[in-house]
Structure formats: structure tokens, C-alpha cells
Amino acid sequence: MQVRIIAVGKIKERFLSEGIAEYEKRLVPYLKLTLTEIPEEHRGARASSGQKQLAKEKEGERILAAIPEHAYVVALDLRGKELSSSELAARMHDWQLSGTNTIVFIIGGDLGLSDAVLSRAAFRLSFSPMTFTHPMVRLILVEQIYRACRINSGEPYHK
């Protein structure tokens, strides 16, 4: 199985990059993971709501262009469904059994995801009603994908 994470923006914090790199190494025996960074749309600090909406739509176009044609798309969205680690593992197992070869997780930027991206998603996932930085969400996501792989392989994992 292939898993792709498409995320808006770059990670600036070294500790987050190192954590993500560690989980990328741990995932090698289980699946092929690809991280794709989509550039943030530049806008001024005093951008109007219309300018922000246009920026979100432009980011959305770049996200949609990066999604493989037959991929199963999971959008990370505050209004999405919250799952436990075991439930995420079961979903990933089910998606794979249904013939899904590629799962794409999408993390938007500070403006969120465009309606077009949310419409393309087959599933909307929320980690928490709490607010996390978008780079931090990447680390949490790769850790949860790793945890799901271990659960689905029948290996022990920390509860």
C-alpha cells in the first residue's frame, strides 16, 4: 500500500522534521510513504476575507493536482470524524481490503481546505477539537499511521 500526505506549507521546526523522519524510517517495512508539500499562497497580513478565500482556492487547486487519480482521499478537518488509533487502523485495513492502493491524507494550511478539496475527500478525519499547528499535525499523523500499521500487523503498540 502507498500512503501520501499532502500538506500546505513547509515545516520550519527541526524537532518536528526529525520526528517525522524517524516515523518515515519506521514505516518502511509496512508501506511506502510520500510527503508532498504544497506552497502556501502568499497574501498580505491584512488580506481581506475575499483575498483569503481566493488564496485557499488556489492552494486547493494545487492540492487537487497532486492527488493520484484513483486514490482514496482523507481530509483532515475539524468537522471530521474523530477515531481512536484502533479505529483508524481498522479503517485503513478496510480501505486496503476494498482495493485501495493509495491513501492520501490532506492537511490544509492556516486557512483550512477549499470546498473543492473537501468534496474530493471520501472521508474527513479530525484528530481533536483542540487546535494544533499544521506542522505538528503532520508528526501526529505519521505517528498514527505507524501505530495503525503495527496494530494491523498484530504487533504490540503503546496504549
Side-chain angles (χ1 to χ4, degrees):
M1 179 185 341
Q2 295 183 31
V3 171
R4 180 176 287 183
I5 298 172
I6 299 173
V8 175
K10 292 193 176 289
I11 293 182
K12 297 172 184 118
E13 300 87 352
R14 194 172 109 194
F15 74 96
L16 291 173
S17 296
E18 289 172 353
I20 291 167
E22 175 62 29
Y23 283 105
E24 284 180 287
K25 284 191 284 186
R26 292 182 187 192
L27 279 164
V28 168
Y30 302 102
L31 52 79
K32 182 176 188 234
L33 178 68
T34 306
L35 297 168
T36 303
E37 290 183 339
I38 302 296
E40 287 180 295
E41 187 64 26
H42 296 290
R43 59 190 188 284
R46 296 183 178 169
S48 69
S49 61
Q51 290 169 319
K52 289 178 182 177
Q53 183 62 31
L54 182 61
K56 184 164 61 171
E57 289 172 9
K58 286 183 177 181
E59 289 172 354
E61 289 170 8
R62 290 195 289 267
I63 290 168
L64 291 170
I67 299 172
E69 187 176 336
H70 298 291
Y72 187 90
V73 178
V74 178
L76 274 71
D77 180 22
L78 282 173
R79 297 173 305 269
K81 182 165 178 52
E82 290 182 25
L83 300 175
S84 68
S85 296
S86 296
E87 289 170 331
L88 177 61
R91 293 273 177 137
M92 288 180 66
H93 180 74
D94 291 346
W95 296 332
Q96 188 175 16
L97 285 179
S98 70
T100 299
N101 184 15
T102 303
I103 300 171
V104 175
F105 291 91
I106 301 174
I107 303 169
D110 64 337
L111 297 173
L113 294 170
S114 71
D115 290 340
V117 172
L118 292 173
S119 294
R120 174 65 175 85
F123 187 76
R124 294 183 192 184
L125 175 65
S126 174
F127 281 152
S128 169
M130 298 171 95
T131 302
F132 300 107
T133 65
H134 293 268
M136 191 170 289
V137 168
R138 287 191 221 180
L139 175 59
I140 295 168
L141 178 59
V142 294
E143 189 279 335
Q144 286 299 303
I145 292 168
Y146 172 71
R147 188 176 296 262
C149 289
R150 289 190 55 98
I151 291 168
N152 288 337
S153 296
E155 299 172 25
Y157 69 97
H158 188 271
K159 292 184 181 185

